[in-house]
């Protein structure tokens, strides 16, 4: 029997494996009918101990479009966690019912605990302020579709870089490509954690920390906006003080490149003004669509299913 693969951290996959996932995601769009029944009789469990719209629904849509079915819960309160059951017991139980599990949990590392207790593949759909590898796969597919490459570009990451798990995973992923410069735009209190800085230094990456979005704008190829992560703040006062740190509007885009790609994992609160949505550089809803395609490719990979050539 082949070894069970999980996706806990983006670096669980090699760059070559990520390329393959991107190819399959593109093939799914081009040859959609070939994939319609490919996961017949397979079940995906979606265990969401924390709220989600895009991640959970795109996983569910992905499995349904592959001809499989989905079961699970969308909040801890409607699972036995409300009765005091441990994560590992919940996972071990659900692993008896499904073929693959996508889980989100507010505690960093929870999916690792889960993966130890089951023999079905586990996908980390976000663990606290730590990592969010499937958002990163989504982001990589979006960048590849928009730019035609994943190397040689300047990426501005703006907002809550401390608690924003999508930022941490995206940096980890992009460190493996040539010629990437990171411009980290945040208030001092919301800078990326030290372990992310250590990874960038270890990889010999070029990175700078700045506070002004306007000053950084002209050199950016990608602008990755994020919301201030209210639920991970220790007190409301700090959140209120920092919540309006960055609001991207058309005025701020006046000195941006014409082929800038504006991304956001969503949900947005107010950090991108809605007037930006009609700008051709705004890609965040396209990004949400990419999320479904790449999750279809991911489910196939972890289940070991390929379309017949
Ligand atoms: C992100 C998350 O959950 O970390 N959302 C998502 O999955 N698309 C970003 C966020 O909540 O700010």
């Amino acid at each position: 029997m082949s070894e069970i693969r999980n996706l806990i951290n983006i670096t669980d996959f090699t760059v070559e494996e990520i390329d393959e996932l991107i190819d399959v995601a593109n093939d799914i769009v081009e040859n959609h009918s070939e994939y319609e029944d490919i996961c017949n009789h397979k079940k995906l469990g979606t265990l969401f101990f924390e709220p989600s719209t895009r991640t959970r629904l795109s996983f569910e849509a992905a499995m349904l479009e592959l001809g499989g079915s989905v079961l699970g819960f969308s909040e801890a309160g409607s699972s036995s966690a409300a009765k005091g059951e441990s994560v590992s017991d919940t996972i071990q139980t659900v692993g008896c019912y499904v073929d693959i599990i996508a889980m989100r949990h507010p505690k960093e590392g929870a999916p690792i605990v889960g993966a130890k207790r089951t023999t079905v593949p586990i996908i980390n759909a976000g663990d606290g302020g730590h990592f969010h590898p499937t958002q990163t796969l989504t982001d990589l597919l979006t960048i590849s579709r928009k730019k035609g490459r994943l190397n040689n570009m300047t990426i501005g990451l703006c907002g809550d870089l401390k608690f924003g798990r999508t930022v941490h995973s995206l940096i980890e992923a992009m460190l493996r490509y040539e010629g990437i410069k990171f411009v980290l735009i945040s208030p001092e209190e919301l800078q990326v954690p030290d372990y992310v800085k250590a990874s960038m230094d270890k990889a010999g990456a070029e990175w700078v920390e700045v506070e002004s979005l306007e000053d950084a704008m002209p050199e950016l190829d990608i602008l990755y906006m994020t919301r201030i992560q209210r639920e991970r703040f220790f007190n409301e006062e700090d959140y209120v003080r920092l919540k309006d740190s960055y609001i991207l509007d058309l005025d701020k885009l006046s000195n941006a490149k014409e082929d800038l790609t504006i991304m956001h994992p969503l949900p947005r609160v107010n950090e991108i003004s809605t007037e930006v949505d009609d700008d051709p550089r705004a890609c965040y809803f396209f990004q949400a669509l990419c999320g479904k395609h790449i999750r279809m490719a991911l489910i196939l990979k972890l289940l070991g299913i390929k379309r017949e050539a």
Side-chain angles (χ1 to χ4, degrees):
M1 214 179 95
S2 62
E3 194 198 331
I4 301 294
R5 293 289 301 273
N6 302 305
L7 176 61
I8 307 294
N9 185 350
I10 191 68
T11 48
D12 291 345
F13 287 164
T14 63
V15 169
E16 291 71 31
E17 286 180 306
I18 289 175
D19 286 346
E20 279 165 30
L21 283 173
I22 290 176
D23 288 346
V24 173
N26 290 332
D27 190 53
I28 284 169
V29 176
E30 278 159 34
N31 296 292
H32 200 265
S33 60
E34 300 285 328
Y35 290 89
E36 275 168 12
D37 299 314
I38 202 166
C39 280
N40 232 338
H41 305 301
K42 296 287 183 194
K43 286 178 265 150
L44 165 73
T46 51
L47 313 189
F48 279 68
F49 296 87
E50 221 189 34
S52 168
T53 302
R54 268 147 299 271
T55 305
R56 185 172 60 83
L57 295 184
S58 66
F59 261 118
E60 297 191 357
M63 191 49 152
L64 295 175
E65 274 192 47
L66 293 167
S69 29
V70 180
L71 56 157
F73 53 83
S74 57
E75 49 181 280
S78 60
S79 78
S80 285
K83 298 179 185 166
E85 185 173 55
S86 69
V87 183
S88 69
D89 283 3
T90 305
I91 306 273
Q92 197 167 345
T93 305
V94 177
C96 302
Y97 307 144
V98 300
D99 301 286
I100 182 165
I101 292 175
M103 70 171 283
R104 169 173 287 190
H105 200 279
K107 285 222 175 79
E108 286 80 5
I112 300 176
V113 177
K116 287 198 180 121
R117 303 301 305 175
T118 183
T119 53
V120 305
I122 294 273
I123 302 168
N124 177 9
D127 60 327
H130 203 207
F131 290 132
H132 193 346
T134 67
Q135 180 63 45
T136 299
L137 292 174
T138 300
D139 300 340
L140 296 176
L141 177 62
T142 308
I143 295 171
S144 141
R145 283 178 173 174
K146 285 287 164 188
K147 296 286 188 220
R149 64 181 194 282
L150 290 169
N151 53 14
N152 297 319
M153 60 184 93
T154 299
I155 306 180
L157 299 124
C158 177
D160 186 346
L161 310 187
K162 178 178 181 185
F163 297 115
R165 55 193 174 194
T166 63
V167 167
H168 307 155
S169 284
L170 183 57
I171 292 175
E172 293 275 348
M174 294 305 293
L175 281 175
R176 302 192 289 180
Y177 298 91
E178 290 282 307
I180 302 293
K181 177 178 176 187
F182 299 100
V183 182
L184 307 172
I185 309 154
S186 74
E188 209 181 326
E189 286 157 279
L190 297 180
Q191 289 175 347
V192 291
D194 287 344
Y195 72 88
V196 177
K197 291 184 186 172
S199 298
M200 290 191 291
D201 286 338
K202 194 168 164 218
E206 193 183 344
W207 60 277
V208 284
E209 286 183 316
V210 298
E211 285 202 38
S212 162
L213 173 58
E214 286 91 328
D215 291 352
M217 192 69 87
E219 70 166 316
L220 304 181
D221 299 300
I222 306 273
L223 172 57
Y224 194 94
M225 294 296 295
T226 61
R227 88 186 153 91
I228 308 295
Q229 304 271 307
R230 181 182 201 160
E231 67 276 32
R232 305 201 199 284
F233 271 67
F234 299 111
N235 68 67
E236 184 71 6
E237 254 166 58
D238 287 347
Y239 170 71
V240 169
R241 189 166 44 78
L242 293 166
K243 73 181 173 54
D244 296 326
S245 297
Y246 300 99
I247 300 178
L248 180 68
D249 55 20
L250 290 176
D251 198 40
K252 292 204 181 78
L253 281 170
S254 60
N255 62 349
K257 286 188 181 172
E258 264 178 35
D259 65 346
L260 172 72
T261 300
I262 305 168
M263 299 173 65
H264 191 310
L266 302 176
R268 106 176 109 184
V269 182
N270 63 346
E271 57 282 352
I272 302 182
S273 159
T274 51
E275 67 181 18
V276 175
D277 296 1
D278 293 326
D279 188 291
R281 291 169 290 189
C283 295
Y284 23 96
F285 290 105
F286 173 71
Q287 196 179 345
L289 175 67
C290 291
K292 183 180 71 173
H293 298 149
I294 203 75
R295 289 182 174 102
M296 290 171 83
L298 174 65
I299 289 169
L300 292 176
K301 177 176 175 62
L302 294 181
L303 289 178
I305 298 172
K306 283 196 176 129
R307 94 163 160 106
E308 280 167 35

